[in-house]
Amino acid sequence: MLRAGLIGFPASGKTTLFQLLTSVREAPHRGGKAEAHVGVSRVPDERLDRLTALFRPRKHVPAAVEFADIAGAAGARAGAQALLDVAPYRNADALVHVVRLFRDPSVPHPADAVDPSRDVRTMEDEVILADLGVVERRLERLERDLRKTATAELRKEQEILFGCRAALEEGRPLRALALTGDDAKRLRGFQFLSAKPLLLVLNLDEADLPRAHDAVRLAGLGAFLTGAATRAVPICAKIELEIAQLDPADAAAFLADLGLTESGLDRVIRASYDLLGYISFFTVGEDENRAWSIPRGTPAQLAAGEIHTDIARGFIRAEVVRYDHLLARGTIAACRDHGELRLEGKEYIVQDGDVINFRHAT
Ligand SMILES: Nc1nc2c(ncn2[C@@H]2O[C@H](COP(=O)(O)OP(=O)(O)O)[C@@H](O)[C@H]2O)c(=O)[nH]1
Ligand SMILES: [Mg+2]
C-alpha cells in the first residue's frame, strides 16, 4: 500500500484534508516526540467498479493510500526535523505538502500573510536541513569506521553521501538527484525526507475556485514544479467539507455547477498515486474483486507477493487478460476462446489494468 505523509505549516488545512480523505481511523501513532494520526483512503477506479458490476462478487476492495497527519500543534511547530522521529513519515513513500492559498482573516496565518511560494520554499529548506543532519552524522561515523576497516562497500556509501551532501548544501532536495539502481537502493535505508516524491496540495480560497486550473501560476510555483518528482493539485478544503455532507447525487450536481467532474479528494488520492508511478492490476472472482497497487515495471512474481508471500514463493505462472478485453467478452472463458488469455512467467512485467490469476504451488 502506498503511504503518504501530510506536511505543512499550521492552519494550512492538513487536518481538515486528512479527515476528509480517510475513512479508517487509528489511534495516534506513538513513538518519538511527535505523534501522527494514520488513516486510509480508497483509490477511486472506474475499471474496478465495472468489473464488480460484471462479476457481482461478495467483496469489492479498491486499492488504498495511507495518509499520516501530524497530531497536535507541538508536532506541527517542531518542523521537518521532528518528522524524522515519526515512523509514518519516515517510512512514507511520498510527502504531501498542504499549502495555504485561502485568505480567510478568521483563520490566523502563522506568518501573518498568505504567501504560497514562500511556504513551499521554507518547507523545502526545512526538509533539506533535516536530511543534511542525517547525512553529516552518517559521514562522521563512516569516517571512523573507514579508519578501522576500509571496505569497498563503505567507500561506495561515503562517495554517494558526499554527493548527497553537496546537493543538500546547495539547497537541492535529494529527489533531484534522480538516483537509480544500486545507488538508489543504498540511499533507501536512510529514508531521506527530501528524496521522497512531493505533492503540493494547493488549498485554494473559495473565491479562486474558478481559476483552479491556473493555481500553480497564481501561487508563483511554476519554476518549483519543474523539479523532479514534484507535482501540484488544487483543491478547496472548505468546499470539500460542504460536498462531503451531501448525498452522492447532490454532490455530483454541486461539482457540475462548479465545472468539476470529480471531487478534490479524488484528485489528491489519484495524484499521489500517479506521482509515484503506481499502476493497478486486478484479481476477480465470485468471492472478491480487488485492485492491487504496484510500481510501474514490477515483474509478475513480485506483484504476486503483493497478494501473499506464499503466492510469490510458489509462483508457477500468471494467467493474464487485459481489463478491456475482459469487459468486452464478459467472462475469462470467452477471453480464452478468443486467444486473449495469456500465460506469463515470473519475469513478465505487469501492465496497468491487467486482470491476473496467479497459479502457484502450495
Ligand atoms: N476558509 C477556509 N478555511 C479553511 C480551509 N481549510 C481549512 N480551513 C480552516 O483553517 C483552520 C485550520 O485548519 P486545519 O485543517 O486544522 O489546519 P492544520 O493546522 O494544517 O491541520 C480550521 O479552522 C479550518 O476550518 C479552506 O479551504 N478555507
Ligand atoms: Mg492539524
Side-chain angles (χ1 to χ4, degrees), residues 32 43 67 120 125 127 129 154 174 195 250 262 286 308 349 360:
V43 179
F67 287 96
V120 166
D125 288 343
V127 163
L129 210 61
L154 290 181
L174 296 179
D250 290 344
E262 64 176 347
E286 273 174 24
H308 202 288
I349 301 297
H360 61 102

Side-chain angles (χ1 to χ4, degrees), residues 96-107:
V96 176
H97 181 182
V98 182
V99 185
R100 175 160 171 179
L101 273 75
F102 70 85
R103 295 177 284 273
D104 200 339
S106 73
V107 181

